[in-house]
Every structure is written in C-alpha cells, then in structure tokens.
Amino acid sequence: FVAEIGLNHNGNFDLAFELIKQAKLAGADIAKFQLGWRGGRGEINEIDSSVLSKLQRYCDYYEIELMVSIFTHDAYEMAQKHEFSRYKIASRTVVDDPELARRIVSEGKETFVSLGMWKEKHMPYEGKYNNVKYLWCRSKYPCEPWDLTDLPKDFKSSPFSGYSDHTIGIEVSLIAIARGALIIEKHFTLDKSDTTIRDHVLSATPDEFRTMTTIG
C-alpha cells in the first residue's frame, strides 16, 4: 500500500512529518512524495537535498519506506544520491519525457510506472526491463466511477501489477484488490476539505486508508 502524500503537505514539511506518521499507523508500506513537480524556488513543493534527507529521517523513524516520483532530470540526479530502493514514474513523465523515464528504468531498481496517459496498446518497456511494475490508472482529478469501465477484471491475467487511484473514496481501490491488484497507490491527506490543492478531495483520510489496508 502506497500512501501518495505528494503535495498534500501544502508546502509545510513539518506537516509532512505528521502525514508520514499517520500513513504508517494506517497500514501503508510506502510514503510517496514527488520530486520536481511544482518544485521551483518558492513553489509549494520545493524539495532540495536537505528537505529530502529530513523526509528520509522521518520515514526511517516510523519504519515506513520513502519513495519518490521523479519529474525532472535534476530531481533524478538528486534522488540518486539518496539511494532509494525503488522509484515511481508518473503517467505524464512516460509520455512527456521518455528519455527521463528510460534513464530511471534502466538503472535497474524496481520502478512503479503509471500509465494513465499512455495511449498505445503495447506496454512502453515491454520485453526490455524486468524491474518495471505497471499501475493502471486514469489521469483525471478526481476520476469519476464511469471513467473506470475498463479497469482490469483480473489483474493477474493483465500486464498491470496494481492500481493508482484518483477517485473520491476507497471503493474502487477495494474493487481492484478484489480483482487481484498487488499494489494500491492512493493519495493521502489529513483533511479532505482542504482546498490548498485539488488532490485533498480525492485522497484517503487516515481512517479510510486504515479501512482499506485492513480489508485488503
């Protein structure tokens, strides 16, 4: 279970400490942040090496794995210095910056790859790398239930290892689990009514996430 904290810290990296703690208590295996997305100077997600080290210490303290989505070449080079055991590649990176995506995948570490924006029938790294785990998703925020009519009926017989959820609530994540998804990525927040960024409303609260991990 991946708790996608993303930008839900609202630029307050002390709040990130509490998000990591609550993700662990809710049963998450991984706390995920985004590197390079809205991360310029003065932006909400400005994460430099010092902040990244702080997030790593938080995660080590609570015994939860820290994982990052990589959005830029500079972010990837910074991440390499922190020796993550695996990476995440977002849908937009697969499509908008295939060179960066290939750099990350070719490092050989396990890499979760979302394909919400991938329009081809074949998988992007089919037959080339055995370290890639594809996540089915729809790149819509929030995603409506009727956008999910082609959610795999049986993940085990599909090319997808898991599901990255952008819907409101946890019901679709539970359906994906019932259909054999081995990885669930769900946005995580302490307050769904927060309007600082749009991700809060489609995120799971600690209680919702705990329900998902307990049932799943």
Side-chain angles (χ1 to χ4, degrees):
F1 289 96
V2 181
E4 164 66 286
I5 294 171
L7 277 60
N8 282 353
H9 51 74
N10 296 338
N12 179 352
F13 291 101
D14 292 320
L15 174 61
F17 183 85
E18 185 65 19
L19 282 158
I20 290 167
K21 173 185 175 181
Q22 292 301 327
K24 173 64 176 182
L25 293 174
D29 302 289
I30 296 171
K32 187 170 83 74
F33 288 81
Q34 299 174 4
L35 289 187
W37 180 248
R38 296 181 65 182
R41 183 172 297 277
E43 290 192 283
I44 192 172
N45 196 42
E46 183 182 352
I47 298 178
D48 59 17
S49 190
S50 175
V51 172
L52 193 55
S53 294
K54 187 176 181 180
L55 295 175
Q56 184 66 71
R57 289 197 298 271
Y58 287 168
C59 288
D60 289 346
Y61 181 81
Y62 284 112
E63 298 181 340
I64 186 172
E65 181 183 339
L66 174 63
M67 185 169 70
V68 291
S69 291
I70 307 291
F71 285 87
T72 66
H73 289 268
D74 287 345
Y76 177 50
E77 288 159 16
M78 178 173 65
Q80 286 181 300
K81 298 175 184 177
H82 289 261
E83 299 182 350
F84 291 100
S85 60
R86 56 185 139 194
Y87 297 114
K88 169 70 190 295
I89 300 176
S91 300
R92 69 175 61 251
T93 305
V94 175
V95 174
D96 294 343
D97 197 341
E99 179 188 351
L100 173 59
R102 281 193 296 272
R103 280 188 69 192
I104 296 168
V105 170
S106 64
E107 186 177 333
K109 293 182 179 180
E110 183 175 73
T111 306
F112 297 164
V113 178
S114 287
L115 293 181
M117 295 183 179
W118 183 254
K119 303 303 181 184
E120 305 296 330
K121 293 183 179 180
H122 66 280
M123 298 293 102
Y125 314 110
E126 194 169 36
K128 298 178 181 178
Y129 303 97
N130 59 11
N131 58 309
V132 174
K133 294 188 182 302
Y134 297 110
L135 304 185
W136 194 98
C137 75
R138 279 289 176 269
S139 298
K140 184 178 176 183
Y141 307 85
C143 185
E144 306 289 356
W146 45 84
D147 296 318
L148 305 169
T149 55
D150 55 346
L151 182 75
K153 298 294 189 294
D154 180 5
F155 276 81
K156 293 179 181 178
S157 63
S158 80
F160 297 99
S161 298
Y163 170 59
S164 180
D165 187 24
H166 299 144
T167 64
I168 295 173
I170 62 171
E171 291 81 4
V172 180
S173 290
L174 292 174
I175 290 171
I177 293 169
R179 294 181 179 185
L182 300 177
I183 302 163
I184 297 294
E185 179 183 66
K186 178 69 179 175
H187 285 255
F188 186 74
T189 185
L190 303 182
D191 182 5
K192 292 173 75 166
S193 68
D194 191 328
T195 58
T196 306
I197 61 168
R198 63 181 179 179
D199 290 350
H200 287 286
V201 71
L202 56 88
S203 301
T205 63
D207 285 345
E208 287 177 317
F209 206 96
R210 189 178 302 109
T211 297
M212 184 175 67
T213 60
T214 301
I215 294 175

